């Protein structure tokens, strides 16, 4: 039995944590001791809470400023010798302490910052295996490269990018963004009844991202039933319930992944933001993903790349065409659906070369001889 750490960053329930949870489920299934640690909360709990709250306010009220700063700090070509001394000053001693205390055999990073720190420390822990598990459809330049053992790539383009930056082909696994094993079970009950198509809406659990405006613009005409996933956002949940609309339903936080999988099985599509995990879940369930808004930073980058691969449908402004009319035009168009599913299948086939469970087992048990899974 291996000792394994999974390192997301910040306590906000973002894709970094969802992917970490998915990996943890797989690893526990394989009987490994597995622990998830956020180094920020671990050492600076009060500061982390302040930082998380500030981040949410920043992307909500000053999105252009955040987008510009993110592009400046994280986007662009990876620089081998680039150092981020502030991150090192705050976290590198803490990371050393965690490694010495926990003595992990393998560490999985689902966020760029832990990856950067471990890339700096790897020579001091030569027996440690470090794996980057990317949670978006692009890779920012903060992620470690040179001393990282393995990479779970979300797309062929990212695999090619990593190779161009000096990562060996044999150390990259084209897995896509890992989703929870529950979503791999087919429980589809059909996306519509005699009366309604069923559309899921997500992306409002953190209270940012324009979901209230979206709900105001739905204007249901009777052909679509909207299920809005509120997460732990009580303000959103109460707002929808006060609407008392027979075709707009608030769905509270769903903890059980099997329950969420059954909800996916009733849907004809999902309206969402271009978060890496949500889009990957939609792809797994073969649901068209309609994009209504992108948060600054990572989601803006995802949106560009997903549009290029034709894996999402970007909703137009309702002044150009009402939202429900756009949804029905797509859902009821055989040509549009066939074209979308053709691109979706191309992507699924592209990433099918590496099964997550097999790759994890090989990394842990076969002393890193993982090329057999390609």
């Amino acid at each position: 039995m291996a000792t394994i750490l999974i390192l997301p960053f910040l306590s906000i329930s973002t894709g970094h944590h969802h992917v970490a949870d998915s990996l943890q489920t797989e690893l526990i299934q394989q009987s490994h001791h597995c622990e998830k640690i956020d180094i920020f909360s671990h050492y600076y709990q009060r500061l982390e809470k302040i930082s998380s709250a500030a981040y949410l306010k920043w992307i909500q009220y000053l999105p252009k400023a955040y987008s510009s700063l993110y592009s400046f700090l994280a986007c662009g070509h990876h620089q081998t010798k680039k150092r981020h001394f502030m991150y090192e000053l705050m976290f590198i001693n803490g990371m050393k302490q965690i490694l010495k205390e926990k003595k992990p055999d393998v560490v999985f990073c689902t966020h760029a910052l832990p990856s950067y720190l471990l890339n700096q420390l790897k020579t001091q822990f030569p027996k440690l295996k470090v794996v980057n598990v990317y949670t978006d459809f692009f890779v920012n330049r903060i992620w470690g490269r040179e001393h990282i053992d393995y990479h779970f790539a979300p797309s062929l383009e990212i695999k090619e990018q990593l190779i161009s930056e000096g990562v060996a082909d044999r150390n990259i696994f084209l897995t896509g963004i890992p989703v929870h094993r529950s979503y791999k079970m087919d429980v589809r009950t059909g996306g519509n009844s005699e009366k309604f198509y069923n559309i899921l809406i997500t992306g409002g659990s953190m209270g940012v991202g324009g979901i209230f405006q979206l709900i105001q613009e739905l204007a249901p005409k009777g052909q679509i039933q909207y299920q809005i996933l509120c997460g732990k956002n009580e303000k959103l949940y109460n707002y929808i319930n006060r609407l008392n609309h027979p075709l707009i339903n608030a769905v509270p936080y769903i903890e059980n992944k099997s329950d969420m999988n059954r909800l996916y099985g009733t849907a004809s599509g999902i309206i969402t933001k271009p978060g890496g995990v949500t889009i990957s879940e939609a792809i797994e369930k073969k649901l068209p993903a309609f994009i209504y808004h992108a948060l600054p930073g990572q989601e803006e980058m995802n949106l560009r790349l997903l549009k290029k691969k034709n894996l999402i449908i970007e909703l137009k402004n309702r002044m150009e065409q009402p939202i429900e009319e756009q949804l029905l035009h797509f859902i009821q168009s055989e040509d549009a659906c066939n074209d979308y599913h053709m691109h979706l299948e191309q992507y699924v086939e592209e990433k099918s070369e590496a099964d997550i469970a097999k790759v994890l087992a090989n990394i842990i048990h076969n002393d890193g001889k993982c090329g057999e899974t390609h």
Side-chain angles (χ1 to χ4, degrees), residues 122-330:
K122 186 67 162 60
T123 55
Q124 299 177 39
F125 299 87
K127 293 183 180 180
L128 177 67
K129 295 176 190 174
V130 182
V131 186
N132 282 356
V133 186
Y134 302 108
T135 60
D136 287 296
F137 288 91
F138 77 104
V139 176
N140 71 45
R141 63 186 182 187
I142 296 173
W143 286 90
R145 265 72 152 186
E146 295 76 27
H147 303 299
I148 303 301
D149 295 283
Y150 303 109
H151 304 254
F152 288 7
S155 68
L156 181 59
E157 289 84 353
I158 295 304
K159 180 175 180 177
E160 292 171 346
Q161 176 191 332
L162 292 170
I163 291 171
S164 74
E165 293 170 346
V167 178
D169 186 350
R170 66 181 179 276
N171 295 335
I172 306 170
F173 300 95
L174 189 43
T175 58
I177 296 170
V179 299
H180 197 276
R181 59 175 23 235
S182 295
Y183 300 134
K184 298 182 184 297
M185 296 183 65
D186 187 7
V187 294
R188 190 155 183 80
T189 60
N192 58 284
S193 66
E194 292 181 0
K195 290 186 176 181
F196 306 115
Y197 293 100
N198 193 30
I199 296 291
L200 303 182
I201 300 179
T202 186
S205 61
M206 292 194 299
V208 295
I211 196 165
F212 286 95
Q213 182 179 347
L214 171 69
I215 293 167
Q216 292 166 8
E217 294 177 358
L218 289 178
K221 301 298 182 185
Q223 288 184 269
I224 296 178
Q225 180 92 39
Y226 299 96
Q227 306 283 346
I228 302 174
L229 307 181
C230 300
K232 296 180 180 179
N233 188 341
E234 293 185 10
K235 182 180 178 182
L236 176 62
Y237 182 79
N238 293 332
Y239 170 76
I240 296 164
N241 281 333
R242 283 197 300 271
L243 291 178
N244 197 29
H245 197 293
L247 297 177
I248 303 177
N249 301 322
V251 179
Y253 177 65
I254 300 176
E255 185 171 5
N256 187 289
K257 301 295 185 184
S258 295
D259 291 341
M260 186 65 218
N261 189 45
R262 282 190 286 272
L263 190 58
Y264 274 138
T266 68
S268 296
I270 181 169
I271 301 177
T272 185
K273 300 188 285 83
V277 173
T278 304
I279 297 299
S280 296
E281 290 174 359
I283 290 169
E284 185 68 39
K285 304 312 297 180
K286 296 181 170 54
L287 292 175
F290 302 93
I291 305 301
Y292 70 91
H293 180 77
L295 293 176
Q298 297 95 318
E299 288 188 358
E300 287 178 320
M301 298 294 293
N302 281 342
L303 181 61
R304 292 183 203 132
L305 293 159
L306 290 165
K307 284 172 67 175
K308 186 178 178 181
K309 293 179 78 69
N310 294 298
L311 292 174
I312 51 96
I313 304 99
E314 192 171 16
L315 292 173
K316 305 172 189 174
N317 186 292
R318 71 177 179 89
M319 300 302 291
E320 296 180 47
Q321 187 179 18
I323 288 175
E324 186 155 310
E325 190 176 307
Q326 295 180 56
L327 297 173
L328 290 171
H329 176 77
F330 179 90

Side-chain angles (χ1 to χ4, degrees), residues 18-228:
H18 290 302
V19 170
D21 292 340
S22 299
L23 290 173
Q24 190 170 35
T25 298
E26 290 290 343
L27 291 162
I28 290 172
Q29 190 81 9
Q30 296 181 16
S31 301
H32 299 298
H33 175 72
C34 187
E35 188 174 354
K36 187 174 78 165
I37 297 177
D38 164 26
I39 190 173
F40 204 167
S41 299
H42 195 73
Y43 286 104
Y44 305 102
Q45 188 172 23
R46 185 174 295 179
L47 179 59
E48 189 278 330
K49 288 182 178 179
I50 294 170
S51 298
S52 293
Y55 163 74
L56 293 174
K57 294 294 184 185
W58 193 358
I59 61 175
Q60 184 174 9
Y61 296 112
L62 295 169
K64 290 184 179 179
Y66 180 85
S67 180
S68 297
L69 184 63
Y70 184 86
S71 296
F72 175 74
L73 293 176
C75 298
H77 295 294
H78 174 67
Q79 297 172 310
T80 303
K81 296 182 179 179
K82 175 72 174 177
R83 300 283 294 274
H84 300 277
F85 292 106
M86 184 183 73
Y87 298 152
E88 294 182 35
L89 181 66
M90 287 185 68
F91 298 114
I92 206 155
N93 287 330
M95 184 65 80
K96 281 184 189 177
Q97 186 175 332
I98 287 172
L99 295 179
K100 289 176 181 178
E101 177 187 338
K102 302 295 183 180
K103 296 181 172 58
D105 301 296
V106 187
V107 177
F108 292 90
C109 302
T110 64
H111 188 280
L113 183 65
S115 170
Y116 169 79
L117 297 171
L118 289 170
N119 195 55
Q120 298 298 319
L121 291 171
K122 186 67 162 60
T123 55
Q124 299 177 39
F125 299 87
K127 293 183 180 180
L128 177 67
K129 295 176 190 174
V130 182
V131 186
N132 282 356
V133 186
Y134 302 108
T135 60
D136 287 296
F137 288 91
F138 77 104
V139 176
N140 71 45
R141 63 186 182 187
I142 296 173
W143 286 90
R145 265 72 152 186
E146 295 76 27
H147 303 299
I148 303 301
D149 295 283
Y150 303 109
H151 304 254
F152 288 7
S155 68
L156 181 59
E157 289 84 353
I158 295 304
K159 180 175 180 177
E160 292 171 346
Q161 176 191 332
L162 292 170
I163 291 171
S164 74
E165 293 170 346
V167 178
D169 186 350
R170 66 181 179 276
N171 295 335
I172 306 170
F173 300 95
L174 189 43
T175 58
I177 296 170
V179 299
H180 197 276
R181 59 175 23 235
S182 295
Y183 300 134
K184 298 182 184 297
M185 296 183 65
D186 187 7
V187 294
R188 190 155 183 80
T189 60
N192 58 284
S193 66
E194 292 181 0
K195 290 186 176 181
F196 306 115
Y197 293 100
N198 193 30
I199 296 291
L200 303 182
I201 300 179
T202 186
S205 61
M206 292 194 299
V208 295
I211 196 165
F212 286 95
Q213 182 179 347
L214 171 69
I215 293 167
Q216 292 166 8
E217 294 177 358
L218 289 178
K221 301 298 182 185
Q223 288 184 269
I224 296 178
Q225 180 92 39
Y226 299 96
Q227 306 283 346
I228 302 174

